[in-house]
Amino acid sequence: MFTVKISSFIVFTSILCFIVSTETQTSTPAPASTPCALRSNTSCDECLKNVTCLWCIPTQQCIDYPVRTILPSRSVCPLNDARWGLCWVNFQILIITISVLAGIIIISIFVCCFCSCKCERIGNKREDAAADRRTRARKSRQKVKRTEMQLRHDEIRTKYGLAKDNPYARMDNN
């Protein structure tokens, strides 16, 4: 259920971004020589032909965009009523949409990192198990060779009469 909501939201935002990008590409900005204040009491479309202008709906004013602050202050125009770039997109919806998209991207990056680390640890466990098996096989082969060598040495000792009952007893020259 949750994934259906997310996927529908992603589709909606991608369509919105496509519409916004096509709208901004088709509109031709007016020369910047016309100040925004002269476009007050006209229409939102007329004001926003200049990219540096901000349209405030309740006051019907075309204002120079406050460049020093990223978002216009409430004294200039409330975020819900401010329009910039397109008349039908307000700052409040734009901020919410961008923050949600950024959150989804950050969460997906964390999920990808977590999954890759988890998969890497699983791979290491497999490699560790294989290395342990190889080590155990090598040790068993060494043990077999050691016992075979011990048997050969014992045979040689008995052949030449060097075998002794007590391995800790001192060898006497008889």
Side-chain angles (χ1 to χ4, degrees):
M1 182 70 178
F2 184 69
T3 56
V4 172
K5 288 182 182 179
I6 290 176
S7 62
S8 63
F9 178 76
I10 291 172
V11 169
F12 172 74
T13 53
S14 62
I15 290 172
L16 180 69
C17 291
F18 175 75
I19 291 172
V20 168
S21 67
T22 56
E23 290 266 337
T24 56
Q25 289 173 358
T26 57
S27 64
T28 55
S33 61
T34 308
C36 295
L38 294 178
R39 296 176 187 221
S40 292
N41 296 324
T42 59
S43 68
C44 178
D45 291 326
E46 185 67 31
C47 174
L48 295 183
K49 284 183 181 177
N50 188 350
V51 181
T52 62
C53 296
L54 174 75
W55 179 258
C56 189
I57 292 177
T59 60
Q60 297 288 314
Q61 288 184 346
C62 190
I63 309 164
D64 285 325
Y65 188 86
V67 181
R68 289 190 180 100
T69 60
I70 296 174
L71 298 174
S73 65
R74 192 154 185 76
S75 63
V76 173
C77 189
L79 286 179
N80 200 22
D81 295 326
R83 302 292 187 262
W84 179 69
L86 296 171
C87 291
W88 54 273
V89 178
N90 64 24
F91 270 93
Q92 202 167 16
I93 292 175
L94 188 65
I95 291 169
I96 292 170
T97 304
I98 289 174
S99 62
V100 167
L101 287 176
I104 289 172
I105 290 170
I106 290 171
I107 290 171
S108 63
I109 288 171
F110 281 133
V111 167
C112 289
C113 290
F114 176 74
C115 288
S116 67
C117 290
K118 185 176 179 183
C119 292
E120 183 178 311
R121 275 189 256 138
I122 290 171
N124 286 343
K125 288 179 183 176
R126 290 180 190 155
E127 291 174 8
D128 291 344
D132 287 343
R133 276 181 275 154
R134 287 191 300 265
T135 304
R136 276 182 275 157
R138 191 178 317 115
K139 285 184 180 182
S140 66
R141 285 192 307 267
Q142 286 175 348
K143 189 175 184 181
V144 167
K145 285 183 181 179
R146 193 174 297 125
T147 56
E148 287 175 358
M149 188 183 305
Q150 187 68 36
L151 287 174
R152 275 187 297 188
H153 289 170
D154 289 344
E155 286 175 5
I156 292 172
R157 284 188 187 107
T158 55
K159 180 178 177 182
Y160 293 107
L162 299 174
K164 49 191 171 192
D165 297 329
N166 186 358
Y168 297 106
R170 181 177 270 196
M171 294 180 75
D172 293 330
N173 291 332
N174 293 337

